[in-house]
Amino acid sequence: MFNWYVGLLAISGVVMIAMAMVENGQSRASRLINGILGPIYLGYAVYLAFIFEGGSYLIFFQAFILPVLLVVDFFRNRKPRQKLTETQKAWRAHQRSEQNS
């Protein structure tokens, strides 16, 4: 159980750091929260895995609610890819053919 907890903390930290680095329509506050909490989660996982020498510890699975909410927010707020109409596709093809000539 301990190893699963440490692994989930590390994965959560890495995912939050990655989301903080991507500008994908996120608000500045959302990126800041990810940028602050990601290293905290990852650092705590490293501490538990390599520095912690045993004894008693508490497992808070409630700590994983926040990363899940941040991932949902990340995908909800990303910018959709622009879909080109047939006219726009034809115009771009025409421009490319003019450049290659």
Side-chain angles (χ1 to χ4, degrees):
M1 186 63 129
F2 178 76
N3 292 333
W4 279 96
Y5 184 64
V6 172
L8 288 173
L9 281 172
I11 290 170
S12 297
V14 169
V15 168
M16 285 193 281
I17 290 170
M19 288 188 307
M21 293 171 48
V22 174
E23 274 190 59
N24 200 15
Q26 295 184 84
S27 67
R28 187 171 274 214
S30 179
R31 291 184 67 208
L32 184 65
I33 290 170
N34 282 323
I36 291 172
L37 293 179
I40 290 172
Y41 274 63
L42 187 59
Y44 187 53
V46 168
Y47 166 77
L48 287 176
F50 301 109
I51 299 171
F52 183 68
E53 295 180 1
S56 62
Y57 60 91
L58 295 174
I59 294 179
F60 293 105
F61 283 107
Q62 295 88 347
F64 299 110
I65 294 171
L66 182 63
V68 169
L69 292 176
L70 291 173
V71 167
V72 168
D73 181 58
F74 176 79
F75 284 107
R76 181 180 294 163
N77 291 330
R78 64 185 186 159
K79 293 179 184 174
R81 202 176 234 182
Q82 181 183 7
K83 295 181 181 177
L84 299 177
T85 64
E86 292 302 319
T87 306
Q88 290 171 327
K89 289 178 188 176
W91 176 250
R92 288 193 179 178
H94 172 72
Q95 287 178 327
R96 285 188 195 118
S97 67
E98 288 291 319
Q99 289 176 348
N100 293 334
S101 298

